[in-house]
Amino acid sequence: MRAWSVAAHAATLQARIGGSGAMAGLRVSYAVRAVGEIGVLASGDATPTEGGFSSAVALPTAPLWTPEHPNLLVAELSLTRGDEVLDRLSVRFGLRRVECTPSGFLLNGERFLLRGYGDDYTFPVELAAPASVEFWRKYLLRRKEFGFNGVRHHSTMLGESYLTAADEVGVLVQPELPIAYQPFFDNAPPEARRLYRVVWEAYIKQMRNHPSVFSWCMGNELYQGLPIGQELYDAAKRLDPTRPVIDTDGGPGAMSRPTLDYHSVQFNEWVLPWGSNREKYAQNDLTRPVIVHEMSNLSVLPDPADIPLYHGAIRPFWLQQMADQVQRRGLWDKLPAMLQASRKLQASIIKLNIESARLGPCVDGYHQWLFRDYWTQSTGFVDQFDRTREITPELARRFNGEVALLWDRDRVNYRCGEAVPVRLMLSDYRPGQAPALDTVEVTLDDSHATLQPPEAVGGRGLVGPWTGELAVPGLT
């Protein structure tokens, strides 16, 4: 069965009827409810045909699904002949629409910023991904604490338990065919290429009722696309016309193919968005939304004190190598300060990158790389056991939440008594009914300034600037 959203408050129910019995006298009845509610939002019945059952269902009072409010619905179908119930089926789904427009992503008709992270599926205790909805529910809630509303899984297609939890928690997920790099496809024998087609279509059929699925992606950093890209794109649109499709996550900004509903752009993560590189996340192509591919990817120093935590199948040889180097160089007394300095540096650059991307008028989202450390490196917000370093959830939400106040200058150091020209922007993706923020006040010790607001305030997206001047206190 499939129950996808075809309009803001409508769905199509489709089901195939198996078996070899006669169709005479069969009826299909349905009822749609909000999960956990008794009241019926819509109901009806119909006579199925040899092809099965299909019905467009208006749901004018049904709540929509968003990451902030992951409202879920359930469609309950019964197959009967006379008074006999032959079969029953319940399918959970959500009403939501993602649109790719020249002005960015729209979620249920409103501007939307994808605040995503990368997940490379590392499990130091479990080793393999569990199939527990409760495990994934806790796992995803932890990531939402830091302000994230989306996730990209590198070359991974998520299972039913994961997407069930994502539906409930409110996280937009980008699964990918496991084509990690172009040579993986180029060297695949004909049987493997046929398998890609089979898995692609089967996976979309299985998972398309999950509102948490943001898009369908064919692979990672496939700069030239795939020879079968158009075929896979057309299949995805035929099976699920409600979602964006991309033939690669990651590539130069100049790519423009009909198999890319949005661009996942590889910006230059080797430089900081500062000084001559302040426009690091500028993008000239305004024909479709743009997200930042694998943002930051910044390591901190590995901590040998974590070695005892690996008591399962994983042997943390990279941490032992670090311990050996520290011992050989006689740095044990300096290591705590070195670890703290590297963590502070990572936190400041991640914050700078995300704020710079949010200042870019052409950036509609990002995948911060990573949330949890990958094997042999320490590039996450948290370590492999989800323990925080320098970036706490409270700090992260200041620059990675629905709304962020942004310093629109590349200077942060001033002399005592100097007048500071202030220019602030607001990256605002709160719900549409949220009140406009019009007054901004800045205080530095005894110096205070009420900034001049822009001509227009309110609305979703990048708003501003608020301008003014603030005096730096003198020496006392």
Side-chain angles (χ1 to χ4, degrees), residues 139-417:
Y139 184 92
L140 293 169
L141 281 172
R142 175 63 168 161
R143 283 131 184 85
K144 285 199 75 174
E145 289 177 359
F146 289 76
F148 291 108
N149 60 17
V151 56
R152 176 201 165 204
H153 283 269
H154 193 303
S155 310
T156 303
M157 306 179 87
L158 294 312
E160 191 74 47
S161 59
Y162 182 104
L163 293 178
T164 296
D167 293 343
E168 297 173 0
V169 170
V171 175
L172 287 163
V173 183
Q174 179 183 294
E176 289 179 13
L177 266 179
I179 307 177
Y181 297 99
Q182 192 78 46
F184 285 60
F185 182 85
D186 294 342
N187 297 325
E191 295 80 4
R193 297 192 180 197
R194 284 195 294 271
L195 183 61
Y196 282 136
R197 295 178 174 93
V198 171
V199 170
W200 176 258
E201 294 199 18
Y203 188 77
I204 293 174
K205 288 179 183 178
Q206 180 183 357
M207 302 303 185
R208 60 190 170 188
N209 286 329
H210 288 283
S212 58
V213 175
F214 179 74
S215 63
W216 306 114
C217 177
M218 301 178 201
N220 172 70
E221 297 177 10
L222 307 172
Y223 302 142
Q224 306 305 317
L226 295 172
I228 60 173
Q230 190 66 55
E231 178 185 345
L232 297 185
Y233 181 92
D234 293 342
K237 293 296 185 180
R238 170 174 50 82
L239 295 168
D240 179 10
T242 72
R243 285 183 174 86
V245 180
I246 53 175
D247 66 23
T248 182
D249 192 293
M255 290 192 309
S256 181
R257 297 192 289 266
T259 47
L260 287 169
D261 288 341
Y262 59 89
H263 284 166
S264 172
V265 177
Q266 283 182 298
F267 292 92
N268 185 4
E269 295 300 325
W270 293 96
V271 302
L272 298 180
W274 200 259
S276 60
N277 297 307
R278 189 159 179 257
E279 303 299 323
K280 167 181 174 178
Y281 294 117
Q283 175 65 27
N284 295 325
D285 186 350
L286 304 179
T287 61
R288 62 196 79 185
V290 170
I291 65 173
V292 182
H293 170 79
E294 298 186 12
M295 173 188 276
S296 302
N297 214 352
L298 295 161
S299 273
V300 299
L301 287 176
D303 188 355
D306 292 345
I307 292 175
L309 299 175
Y310 292 82
H311 49 72
I314 302 300
R315 184 175 68 86
F317 62 88
W318 63 97
L319 296 181
Q320 188 59 55
Q321 290 172 347
M322 177 68 174
D324 294 343
Q325 287 293 329
V326 172
Q327 178 69 28
R328 186 174 300 114
R329 297 169 187 265
L331 295 174
W332 284 113
D333 59 331
K334 296 181 173 59
L335 183 59
M338 293 165 61
L339 291 170
Q340 183 182 27
S342 72
R343 292 167 182 176
K344 286 182 176 294
L345 180 62
Q346 183 208 42
S348 64
I349 296 176
I350 287 176
K351 180 175 182 291
L352 179 63
N353 277 339
I354 290 179
E355 290 181 338
S356 179
R358 296 186 73 154
L359 275 170
C362 303
V363 172
D364 306 292
Y366 46 83
H367 285 124
Q368 164 61 37
W369 218 254
L370 295 156
F371 180 80
R372 174 187 278 189
D373 283 353
Y374 188 59
W375 310 118
T376 75
Q377 56 180 304
S378 306
T379 52
F381 266 49
V382 300
D383 65 16
Q384 290 197 336
F385 303 90
D386 278 5
R387 300 179 305 171
T388 57
R389 293 190 175 106
E390 191 68 23
I391 302 178
T392 63
E394 294 75 20
L395 173 59
R397 289 195 299 270
R398 294 181 191 175
F399 58 88
N400 191 45
E402 289 182 345
V403 60
L405 195 61
L406 305 172
W407 176 256
D408 191 19
R409 291 180 62 83
D410 59 359
R411 183 182 173 192
V412 294
N413 297 307
Y414 295 88
R415 296 183 296 274
C416 292

Side-chain angles (χ1 to χ4, degrees), residues 76-108:
E76 300 166 339
L77 282 78
S78 297
L79 179 66
T80 61
R81 177 179 282 120
D83 295 332
E84 182 183 6
V85 177
L86 304 175
D87 200 4
R88 286 190 176 95
L89 178 66
S90 294
V91 175
R92 203 172 65 168
F93 67 103
L95 289 181
R96 66 105 187 90
R97 171 184 284 184
V98 176
E99 297 174 86
C100 297
T101 75
S103 60
F105 292 120
L106 300 182
L107 178 61
N108 300 332

